[in-house]
């Protein structure tokens, strides 16, 4: 099965994609993770996209489509894939329709104030990469990593200014994709507000798995 996951930042697309991929044997492809890895490794791509990611803007379509085209051509995608965070613009969706049309587009629906609450509470350990949330997954000692004792940080794009920008970009550029996939008859809406177990159950029902 070839799936795409739509929905605002913080709706839990990544969490659901990881669970579903291990359940269904598909490849999980997060363009955000691919870009962040490139930044962390200091590759040419990473240098090109770092400031774009920090602001919460979108990487240009040509760069993103090329990355996805290369990734979905790899052998682990033969049994299907979940694209998490791609496409995010109409030109990206049209490119995917030409390259490898998705079977279903799952849209995780979440209100703006919930997006801000979820993202602004996220904390990251810069040393071991463990993630926390001040409300939902608090560390044992405030602002200290449970795993390695390092001081936790807020990802640049989880700072309030960047969150507001990411939401505005989502509404302007990505929300129109709902109509694109609705017109194709492959859009499935899922309420992303309940706890992850309930959302995952609703996802499996929507996919018939
Ligand atoms: P995410 O983790 O999915 O929120 O992505 C983090 C950042 O990576 C986004 O704010 C964008 O800067 C960039 N990014 C990820 N996916 C795309 C995409 N499909 N098109 C353009 N930029 C993207």
């Amino acid at each position: 099965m070839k799936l795409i996951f739509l929905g605002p930042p913080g709706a839990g697309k990544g969490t659901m994609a990881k669970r579903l991929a291990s359940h269904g044997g598909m490849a999980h492809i997060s363009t955000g993770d691919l870009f962040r890895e490139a930044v962390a490794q200091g590759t040419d791509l990473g240098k090109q996209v770092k400031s774009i990611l920090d602001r919460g803007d979108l990487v240009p379509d040509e760069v993103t489509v090329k990355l996805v085209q290369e990734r979905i051509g790899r052998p682990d995608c033969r049994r299907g894939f979940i694209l998490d965070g791609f496409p995010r613009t109409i030109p990206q969706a049209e490119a995917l329709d030409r390259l490898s049309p998705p079977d279903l587009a799952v849209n995780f629906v979440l209100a703006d104030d919930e997006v801000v609450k979820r993202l602004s509470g996220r904390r990251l350990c810069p040393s071991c990469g463990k993630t926390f949330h001040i409300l939902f997954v608090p560390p044992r000692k405030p602002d200290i990593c449970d795993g390695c004792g390092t001081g936790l940080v807020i990802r640049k794009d989880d700072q309030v200014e960047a969150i507001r920008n990411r939401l505005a970009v989502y509404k302007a550029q990505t929300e129109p994709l709902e109509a694109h996939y609705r017109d194709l008859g492959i859009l499935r809406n899922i309420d992303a507000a309940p706890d992850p177990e309930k959302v995952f159950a609703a996802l499996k029902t929507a996919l018939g798995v």
Side-chain angles (χ1 to χ4, degrees), residues 31-32 35-36 53 57-59 64 85-86 88 92 166:
T31 40
F35 287 132
R36 277 186 291 274
L53 261 69
D57 285 334
L58 292 185
V59 174
T64 310
F86 180 94
R88 260 170 149 106
Q92 291 180 12
R166 285 161 75 194

Side-chain angles (χ1 to χ4, degrees), residues 41-74:
Q41 288 166 4
T43 63
D44 287 345
L45 174 68
K47 287 181 196 138
Q48 189 186 345
V49 303
K50 182 176 186 315
S51 62
I52 300 178
L53 261 69
D54 285 349
R55 286 194 303 274
D57 285 334
L58 292 185
V59 174
D61 289 335
E62 315 80 74
V63 176
T64 310
V65 169
K66 205 170 132 206
L67 183 80
V68 170
Q69 181 172 11
E70 189 277 324
R71 183 64 189 84
I72 62 179
R74 291 204 206 152

